[in-house]
Amino acid sequence: MSDRSAPRYTLFGLAIIALVVAIAVLLARPAQSETAARPANSLQSLAELDGKAPSRRQLNIQHWTTAEGARVLFVEAHELPMFDLRLTFAAGSSQDGGSPGLATLTNAMLNEGVAGKDVTAIAEGFEGLGADFGNGSYRDMAVASLRSLSAADKREPALKLFTDVVGKPTFPQEALARIKNQLLAGFEYEKQNPGKIGSKALFAKLYGEHPYAHPSDGTAQSLPGITLEQLRAFHAKAYAAGNTVIALVGDLSRDEAEAIAAQVSAGLPKGQALAKPVQPVEPKPGATHIDFPSKQTHLMLAELGIDRNDPDWAALSLGNQILGGGAFGTRLMSEVREKRGLTYGVYSVFSPMQVRGPFMINLQTRAELSEGTLTLVKDILTDYLKTGPTQQELDDAKRELAGSFPLSNASNSSIVGQLGAIGFYNLPLSWLEDFMQQSQALTVEQVKAAMNKHLAADKLVIVTVGPKVEQKPLPAPTDKPAEQPLGVPEH
């Protein structure tokens, strides 16, 4: 399955919140009805794996470098007869240069053709082996992944096809035209989506001339002019073995993992790691309003946060969890939704990347209350930076983190994502355990100091999208706020 059309502007959703991001999907293979016959050897559920079930395990991360310069991280996990392989390249839109959308198009074209196979044959090849192929492109990185049964008769042909797809795509002209048209049609749709409009404007204001400023998918002006020659040149440079991290998790021995990594690495173009982007400059604070006919107004507040290697990440992550990074019970949710009923949801997030990623607060509210809501949100941030979290809030956040931490290694897919991020951002192999220990040792004053070191309420870049209407005063806080008039949230 390809996730090439995943929204790349809502940074986070990110999966480890700062790790990628992760950043929704165009299928790269033909759709099937539920009644269609499936290959007899297709992996459908745990029930087909002889009753085996995944169990929690301690991570023993093994690592080495291939002859071509690819860094490899491997975790042996024999609970299920399958494995996950993930290649992470420094090949995101920050490497687009003067052609926004180049990285996205290159990644999207990987599985459109190899020698002797078109996109349908590729999809059927993976399907027939019970294997899944995935790919995606984001601001920092591009990824390609394979999930396969580990038996040699399934693993070896799946790896051969995967290596050809990632290392030797043919970039068919007709596929390029089709994917361009799909992206251009998406841009037209986004004109009716105030959230997309606001997100693009926010990144442009926040990052100015920096590579993070432009949308990962490119623009309606840049995409048409991108050529096959540019795609081939970008692939040769950015999909080089020296520019990738290979993460492997599953039912493999060390020897088998080394053979897989060597095969994949040798099948990639030869080349070195690309330089990461320069650090962005501080943007000019201020508010921008975009008029849009709707009943609600989108409010987006941001400032530059941290890069992925900042030592304050544990304190900022926990501090943000208290401010607005969790669900109910955060400062923002309590004051904006629970006490006043101004929104269906409000969240804040740090999205650290190769260089300083954004800190953002997002919500939407009734248009006639938008100015008061914006002031309220800024006041909540100002007060939180001034007073810091309470001891009770910090204790609750630590318990919540401790309870959710096992999910980070609950499945092969979650582990392979963690390994890819550790390798890509050059984090210590003990990063997961270190993060947990650092978080649990934090004090109120340490969290407060870290939040104030990296955030300031007067540095906010603000974008609002909605109608210009007469404003009304906010309702007073209450234990039983009035519900919003709309039956469903407006997106």
Side-chain angles (χ1 to χ4, degrees):
M1 180 186 298
S2 166
D3 56 0
R4 67 171 64 130
S5 66
R8 298 171 180 91
Y9 316 111
T10 56
L11 291 171
F12 75 63
L14 342 54
I16 304 181
I17 278 177
L19 293 177
V20 248
V21 85
I23 38 229
V25 197
L26 286 175
L27 294 181
R29 63 188 182 202
Q32 285 185 278
S33 69
E34 291 185 1
T35 57
R38 70 175 188 255
N41 56 6
S42 177
L43 181 63
Q44 297 294 322
S45 72
L46 294 178
E48 298 185 30
L49 298 175
D50 298 326
K52 296 181 180 178
S55 62
R56 183 180 177 188
R57 77 287 293 221
Q58 295 297 317
L59 298 188
N60 175 24
I61 303 176
Q62 304 175 54
H63 64 100
W64 63 92
T65 302
T66 68
E68 295 77 19
R71 186 181 181 193
V72 185
L73 288 85
F74 168 55
V75 169
E76 221 170 315
H78 297 287
E79 290 85 354
L80 296 173
M82 57 190 292
F83 71 95
D84 284 83
L85 167 65
R86 181 183 180 98
L87 307 187
T88 304
F89 301 89
S93 61
S94 61
Q95 302 288 347
D96 278 344
S99 301
L102 176 59
T104 290
L105 281 176
T106 303
N107 185 269
M109 289 281 286
L110 291 179
N111 60 332
E112 291 292 333
V114 296
K117 290 184 173 67
D118 63 8
V119 61
T120 301
I122 291 171
E124 290 175 346
F126 285 122
E127 190 80 19
L129 294 165
D132 281 325
F133 171 83
N135 58 315
S137 181
Y138 313 96
R139 278 189 164 85
D140 267 349
M141 65 181 66
V143 299
S145 62
L146 173 70
R147 169 173 288 180
S148 170
L149 295 169
S150 54
D153 62 332
K154 302 297 188 298
R155 180 183 77 229
E156 292 174 3
L159 280 168
K160 172 64 168 62
L161 181 55
F162 176 81
T163 301
D164 287 345
V165 166
V166 180
K168 301 174 183 176
T170 55
F171 297 114
Q173 178 67 59
E174 65 276 11
L176 177 60
R178 170 170 49 80
I179 293 173
K180 280 184 179 180
N181 286 336
Q182 290 171 342
L183 290 170
L184 291 169
F187 296 156
E188 289 300 312
Y189 170 77
E190 288 175 359
K191 292 178 181 179
Q192 305 305 315
N193 186 323
K196 290 289 187 181
I197 293 170
S199 181
K200 288 184 176 183
L202 183 70
F203 272 85
K205 294 287 184 182
L206 189 63
Y207 283 102
E209 300 299 318
H210 191 271
Y212 286 170
H214 70 258
S216 293
D217 283 342
T219 67
Q221 293 72 40
S222 67
L223 279 184
I226 295 176
T227 66
L228 286 175
E229 289 70 25
Q230 287 177 285
L231 266 63
R232 293 189 180 104
F234 186 84
H235 179 267
K237 174 184 69 173
Y239 284 76
N243 196 44
T244 189
V245 172
I246 301 174
L248 265 168
V249 179
D251 184 27
L252 303 166
S253 68
R254 170 64 182 255
D255 288 344
E256 289 170 332
E258 287 186 2
I260 290 172
Q263 176 182 340
V264 172
S265 178
L268 296 173
K270 304 300 183 288
Q272 303 302 311
L274 299 182
K276 67 181 182 181
V278 298
Q279 287 287 356
V281 299
E282 286 286 347
K284 182 180 179 180
T288 300
H289 179 76
I290 300 172
D291 196 38
F292 188 89
S294 60
K295 293 182 179 179
Q296 295 203 342
T297 294
H298 286 249
L299 309 177
M300 304 178 186
L301 305 84
E303 57 187 278
L304 293 183
I306 60 171
D307 63 49
R308 194 62 198 79
N309 296 99
D310 196 292
D312 290 330
W313 168 235
L316 294 174
S317 178
L318 208 59
N320 179 71
Q321 183 177 332
I322 296 165
L323 173 64
F328 290 95
T330 66
R331 289 277 184 101
L332 287 169
M333 281 290 278
S334 176
E335 295 296 329
V336 182
R337 171 174 172 156
E338 295 172 35
K339 293 182 180 180
R340 294 174 175 84
L342 297 172
T343 185
Y344 287 94
V346 54
Y347 71 91
S348 62
V349 60
F350 279 97
S351 295
M353 298 193 285
Q354 281 187 304
V355 294
R356 296 179 68 188
F359 165 79
M360 297 189 296
I361 300 175
N362 283 5
L363 71 155
Q364 58 193 85
T365 190
R366 294 189 294 251
E368 67 273 16
L369 299 176
S370 59
E371 292 182 9
T373 302
L374 178 60
T375 299
L376 174 62
V377 169
K378 290 191 292 184
D379 288 346
I380 293 169
L381 176 61
T382 299
D383 179 70
Y384 184 61
L385 294 177
K386 180 180 179 180
T387 63
T390 66
Q391 186 64 53
Q392 183 64 53
E393 287 175 322
L394 183 60
D395 292 343
D396 290 344
K398 288 180 179 181
R399 280 193 295 271
E400 183 178 345
L401 177 62
S404 62
F405 184 70
L407 295 176
S408 65
N409 64 356
S411 68
N412 287 0
S413 60
S414 62
I415 296 171
V416 82
Q418 300 279 18
L419 295 186
I422 288 171
F424 182 79
Y425 291 111
N426 198 29
L427 301 170
L429 297 181
S430 59
W431 182 84
L432 286 172
E433 292 77 12
D434 293 347
F435 173 80
M436 187 64 179
Q437 292 174 6
Q438 292 166 9
S439 298
Q440 294 300 317
L442 287 166
T443 67
V444 166
E445 286 305 316
Q446 288 173 321
V447 172
K448 178 183 175 183
M451 295 292 284
N452 279 275
K453 176 181 175 181
H454 295 280
L455 297 179
D458 60 357
K459 290 185 177 181
L460 289 168
V461 173
I462 300 168
V463 172
T464 60
V465 185
K468 294 180 179 178
V469 296
E470 183 177 352
Q471 294 295 297
K472 296 180 179 178
L474 295 187
T478 174
D479 291 336
K480 295 182 179 180
E483 294 184 359
Q484 291 213 16
L486 296 179
V488 295
E490 180 181 322
H491 295 294

